[in-house]
Amino acid sequence: MTDRNAYSSWGRYDHKEGENAMYLSKTLPGNKTELVPHYGRWDEYNTYKFDNVSIGNLLDLTDDAVRQKVGVNLDAITKITETEIDMYDIPNTIAEWARKKGYNGIIAPGTRGVKDYENIILFNQNYIDDVLKHVPSDIKPIEK
Amino acid sequence: MRKEDYKEIKNYKDEPEGSVNKRIYDRYFLPFQEYLKKYYSDDKRLDRWKYFTDKFVKPLFDGTPYRNYRDFLYQATPPFCPDPEKLEIAWELLKDDARFDEELKQFFAFMCACGFLEDWHITFEQFLRISNWMHPWYEEECERKESILEVLNHNYGVTYLKSLLAGAPWLKR
């Protein structure tokens, strides 16, 4: 991931001018909903599928009971507004808290289309390197 | 935005002032000038614009050697790389354009130099007149959006425009 001192890209679960994060989708259709059409056409992207990857200690915001404990409702973390400052305020705060508490990342409800998918957000490059160490370095993008 | 979402937004009418839902409602149902006055009269809305332009736009105009800028891009890994020759051509055309302030002129020259308009198969003048300038590759079903030139005709329109441009999906993907 990009060093925050060079550039902080600011997403729903990575704070502006804070550490960056890696965003993945649990499923291929979910990934497509996430990217298309908001970020462009599907064929503009290379998409990689990681099999047999084990990730632990994630804050699962798709779980009603977890959200209740965190004190946030689904609507507050899945809103789409014109500018990031409005829609990222609450999820940014949760992500900052999760980092401080030592979570490796977050399982988050998708926010685009009919919102029927889930994303995985990972906080730390060393952890990402570790969980992906069994993935072949010459992995090919899936065919579209 | 889908029609279902638009119907849902109508239900936000009586949400408390200051809430995100009220803001979303206002975007669609308040006259645009009133919306701008209510939400974009504060320069704090420009924090992200300043952050982005300080990093990626101003160094192209403040005498920073291009090799230093390129080294920075290598570290920052953004999804764009402005071409210095295209930048020079764009700046020649934009530098005396009275429709925009200096920051916007520099941003638009940067944008042209990144090749976005070529990707979208539109000219700069077309870009200024389309309503889907945040995502020129598709039109949303129920979107309410003024063109860039229309936005700039309003008080606080510059703040609104800069706030949105700084978060444009074509700068993030």
Side-chain angles (χ1 to χ4, degrees):
Chain A
M1 284 185 292
T2 303
D3 182 341
R4 64 172 286 191
N5 295 313
Y7 180 56
S8 178
S9 59
W10 197 14
R12 200 171 284 264
Y13 294 100
D14 55 299
H15 205 275
K16 63 174 176 178
E17 300 180 43
E19 298 288 349
N20 287 296
M22 183 177 190
Y23 288 70
L24 307 123
S25 302
K26 268 190 175 179
T27 63
L28 191 62
N31 190 239
K32 192 170 180 180
T33 306
E34 181 71 28
L35 296 175
V36 181
H38 185 68
Y39 288 105
R41 296 192 322 269
W42 186 230
D43 61 5
E44 288 176 306
Y45 295 94
N46 282 331
T47 306
Y48 296 87
K49 185 178 176 187
F50 301 122
D51 287 315
N52 301 319
V53 172
S54 178
I55 302 171
N57 195 27
L58 303 178
L59 180 67
D60 187 358
L61 294 176
T62 65
D63 185 326
D64 294 346
V66 172
R67 283 199 309 274
Q68 207 170 0
K69 277 187 185 170
V70 173
V72 68
N73 63 42
L74 184 63
D75 200 41
I77 55 174
T78 57
K79 275 276 173 249
I80 298 275
T81 63
E82 278 194 313
T83 52
E84 292 95 335
I85 197 167
D86 307 305
M87 63 181 163
Y88 290 174
D89 190 23
I90 292 170
N92 273 186
T93 305
I94 295 170
E96 218 175 332
W97 175 84
R99 279 179 192 270
K100 281 181 189 159
K101 288 289 177 185
Y103 285 98
N104 292 320
I106 285 174
I107 305 174
T111 62
R112 302 204 175 275
V114 293
K115 306 184 181 183
D116 59 349
Y117 63 99
E118 294 174 3
N119 290 330
I120 295 171
I121 297 97
L122 298 177
F123 293 149
N124 184 283
Q125 185 65 60
N126 290 336
Y127 183 72
I128 294 166
D129 292 343
D130 193 42
V131 296
L132 294 181
K133 67 185 172 195
H134 299 302
V135 175
S137 57
D138 60 347
I139 185 173
K140 300 277 190 298
I142 59 166
E143 287 190 21
K144 294 180 178 174
Chain B
M1 175 186 296
R2 299 170 309 134
K3 276 183 183 165
E4 295 85 345
D5 295 332
Y6 188 74
K7 283 179 190 165
E8 173 73 21
I9 288 171
K10 281 187 175 175
N11 297 328
Y12 298 163
K13 186 178 179 185
D14 298 321
E15 292 277 327
E17 287 295 338
S19 69
V20 173
N21 283 351
K22 182 66 175 176
R23 183 191 184 88
I24 294 172
Y25 175 87
D26 285 346
R27 176 64 186 102
Y28 285 88
F29 296 100
L30 208 60
F32 188 53
Q33 183 58 71
E34 282 180 46
Y35 172 76
L36 292 180
K37 188 178 178 188
K38 187 170 177 181
Y39 295 105
Y40 288 91
S41 54
D42 183 348
D43 273 359
K44 279 185 182 167
R45 304 294 306 188
L46 292 175
D47 283 356
R48 188 63 185 178
W49 166 264
K50 284 178 181 149
Y51 178 80
F52 183 87
T53 53
D54 281 353
K55 293 269 183 192
F56 294 110
V57 182
K58 287 185 181 165
L60 292 166
F61 296 91
D62 66 4
T64 299
Y66 188 74
R67 65 176 180 281
N68 293 8
Y69 180 78
R70 199 183 49 210
D71 288 347
F72 162 69
L73 288 187
Y74 186 75
Q75 289 182 327
T77 62
F80 49 77
C81 180
D83 178 310
E85 286 178 22
K86 285 182 183 172
L87 183 75
E88 208 174 312
I89 295 166
W91 185 243
E92 266 314 300
L93 295 169
L94 276 160
K95 67 181 182 186
D96 298 319
D97 197 323
R99 295 175 295 181
F100 317 116
D101 67 19
E102 198 69 5
E103 284 186 342
L104 276 175
K105 283 190 280 192
Q106 291 183 355
F107 180 86
F108 287 140
F110 153 83
M111 201 187 117
C112 293
C114 289
F116 292 124
L117 297 169
E118 290 152 29
D119 291 346
W120 306 328
H121 308 291
I122 56 175
T123 65
F124 179 61
E125 287 303 320
Q126 285 170 329
F127 174 71
L128 298 175
R129 288 172 169 77
I130 58 175
S131 60
N132 56 334
W133 45 272
M134 281 288 275
H135 39 71
W137 53 90
Y138 81 104
E139 288 193 51
E140 280 194 286
E141 207 175 5
C142 298
E143 194 165 31
R144 176 193 152 177
K145 191 85 78 178
E146 294 69 18
S147 74
I148 287 176
L149 291 181
E150 286 167 339
V151 168
L152 289 173
N153 279 332
H154 290 273
N155 288 335
Y156 313 112
V158 174
T159 305
Y160 173 81
L161 177 63
K162 290 177 177 176
S163 299
L164 266 67
L165 285 173
W170 31 275
L171 296 173
K172 288 183 157 188
R173 53 186 181 162

